C-alpha cells in the first residue's frame, strides 16, 4: 500500500487536481478540509472543536486531524493507499503519517501568493458531488448546472473571503511550508508550477507519478 500527498497553499488547486487524477491513480481522495466541513455540518464533537479554527483560518490541532486520518485509512477503499489533499500540514502530522502509511510521492502545486486571493474568492463547489469551479477561471459549462453530476446546488465556503485567506496563507507559510524540506530530504518531493492552465498541471502531475 502506497499513498500520495497533494501539497500546496490554500487555493493552489489541490482539490481540482485530485478529482482529475483520481481515475488514473485509482486512489480515493482524502481531503481533511472536506472531512472537517462534514463534521461541522453534522455538529459532531470534532466539528464543534474545529469550527472556530476553520472560520479564522487557523490550523485545527494536530491530534484532531491525526485521529481523523487514523480512522479514515481503516476504510476498505483505502486498502491500496489514498490521495491525501490538504494533509499533512505540520511536521507533527507528517511524522504521524509516516507511522500510518507509506507515502511514495508528495506533489507540491506551487502558486504565488498574489494569485491565491482571486482564486479563493471566486471559487464555488457543487453541493452534490463536490466538483470545484471558479467564476472566471473555471466556470461550469452551463450556468447553474454542475458539469460532473448535473446538480444545481452550488455552494461557497464560509472561509472563502479575503480576510480569512490572509490568515490561511500565514498558517501555510509558518506551519506547512517547512514540510517541503522535510519531504525533499526523503527524495519524494515533486514541484509542479501551478500557475498555468489546469490541463497542463494535470499532465505534469501524472508524469511525476509515473
Ligand atoms: P482545506 O479545505 O484543505 O483548504 P485549503 O488548503 O485552504 O485548500 P483549498 O481547498 O482552499 O484549495 P485547493 O488547493 O484545494 O484549491 P481548489 O482546487 O479548490 O482546509 C480548510 C481549513 O480546514 C483550514 O484552513 C484548516 O482550518 C482546516 N484544515 C484542513 N486540513 C487541515 C490539516 N491537515 N491540519 C489542520 N487544519 C486543517 O482551487 C481553488 C480555486 O482555484 C477554484 O475555484 C478552482 O476552480 C481554481 N483553480 C484551480 N486550479 C486553477 C488554475 N490552474 N488556474 C486558475 N484557477 C484554478
Amino acid at each position: 500500500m502506497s499513498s500520495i500527498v497533494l501539497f500546496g497553499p490554500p487555493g493552489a488547486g489541490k482539490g481540482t487536481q485530485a478529482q482529475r487524477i483520481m481515475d488514473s491513480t485509482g486512489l480515493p481522495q482524502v481531503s481533511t478540509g472536506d472531512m472537517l466541513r462534514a463534521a461541522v455540518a453534522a455538529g459532531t464533537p470534532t466539528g464543534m472543536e474545529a469550527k472556530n479554527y476553520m472560520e479564522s483560518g487557523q490550523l485545527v490541532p494536530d491530534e484532531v486531524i491525526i485521529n481523523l486520518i487514523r480512522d479514515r485509512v481503516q476504510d476498505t477503499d483505502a486498502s491500496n493507499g489514498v490521495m491525501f489533499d490538504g494533509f499533512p500540514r505540520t511536521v507533527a502530522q507528517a511524522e504521524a503519517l509516516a507511522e500510518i502509511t507509506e507515502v511514495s510521492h508528495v506533489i507540491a502545486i506551487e502558486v504565488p501568493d498574489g494569485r491565491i486571493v482571486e482564486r479563493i474568492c471566486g471559487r464555488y463547489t457543487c453541493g452534490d458531488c463536490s466538483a470545484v469551479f471558479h467564476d472566471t477561471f473555471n466556470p461550469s459549462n452551463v450556468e447553474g448546472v454542475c458539469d460532473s453530476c448535473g446538480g444545481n446546488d452550488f455552494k461557497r465556503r464560509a472561509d472563502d473571503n479575503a480576510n480569512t485567506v490572509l490568515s490561511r496563507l500565514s498558517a501555510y507559510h509558518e506551519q506547512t511550508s517547512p514540510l517541503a524540506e522535510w519531504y525533499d530530504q526523503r527524495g519524494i518531493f515533486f514541484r509542479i508550477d501551478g500557475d498555468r492552465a489546469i490541463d497542463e498541471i494535470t499532465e505534469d502531475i501524472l508524469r511525476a507519478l509515473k
Side-chain angles (χ1 to χ4, degrees):
M1 154 174 163
S2 197
S3 294
I4 65 177
V5 169
L6 295 180
F7 182 86
K14 302 180 295 293
T16 300
Q17 296 297 336
Q19 289 173 357
R20 294 166 68 94
I21 65 172
M22 223 160 14
D23 286 346
S24 307
T25 61
L27 300 175
Q29 175 187 10
V30 172
S31 158
T32 38
D34 286 349
M35 292 166 79
L36 290 167
R37 279 183 286 281
V40 171
T44 66
T46 296
M48 287 192 287
E49 185 172 359
K51 190 169 188 284
N52 288 340
Y53 292 102
M54 295 175 77
E55 283 178 353
S56 63
Q58 293 173 272
L59 294 187
V60 173
D62 286 334
E63 67 269 20
V64 174
I65 300 293
I66 292 164
N67 285 337
L68 273 181
I69 292 295
R70 274 193 215 289
D71 287 348
R72 179 64 181 85
V73 298
Q74 301 302 320
D75 293 345
T76 42
D77 69 339
S79 58
N80 291 322
V82 303
M83 178 166 39
F84 292 109
D85 161 6
F87 172 86
R89 264 167 143 107
T90 62
V91 171
Q93 291 180 20
E95 287 171 345
L97 179 59
E99 305 284 317
I100 294 170
T101 182
E102 184 194 332
V103 173
S104 62
H105 296 75
V106 176
I107 303 289
I109 305 176
E110 300 186 321
V111 177
D113 284 6
R115 290 267 191 241
I116 297 296
V117 175
E118 59 183 352
R119 282 205 188 179
I120 282 188
C121 292
R123 169 169 51 195
Y124 59 99
T125 55
C126 174
D128 295 324
C129 74
S130 303
V132 187
F133 300 92
H134 190 281
D135 292 326
T136 312
F137 305 135
N138 185 28
S140 59
N141 291 329
V142 177
E143 194 180 337
V145 180
C146 175
D147 298 349
S148 297
C149 73
N152 60 3
D153 179 25
F154 287 130
K155 297 192 182 316
R156 294 195 190 257
R157 276 169 44 178
D159 60 345
D160 278 355
N161 57 73
N163 284 339
T164 309
V165 172
L166 297 181
S167 308
R168 286 158 64 191
L169 269 174
S170 296
Y172 173 76
H173 288 299
E174 285 163 27
Q175 294 167 272
T176 306
S177 60
L179 269 180
E181 195 185 336
W182 199 86
Y183 277 121
D184 210 12
Q185 284 167 355
R186 286 156 178 78
I188 55 171
F189 194 72
F190 300 84
R191 296 176 189 276
I192 306 284
D193 177 2
D195 191 14
R196 293 177 298 155
I198 292 173
D199 284 346
E200 289 175 37
I201 298 165
T202 308
E203 282 171 24
D204 273 8
I205 293 175
L206 291 175
R207 207 170 294 128
L209 290 173
K210 275 188 184 149

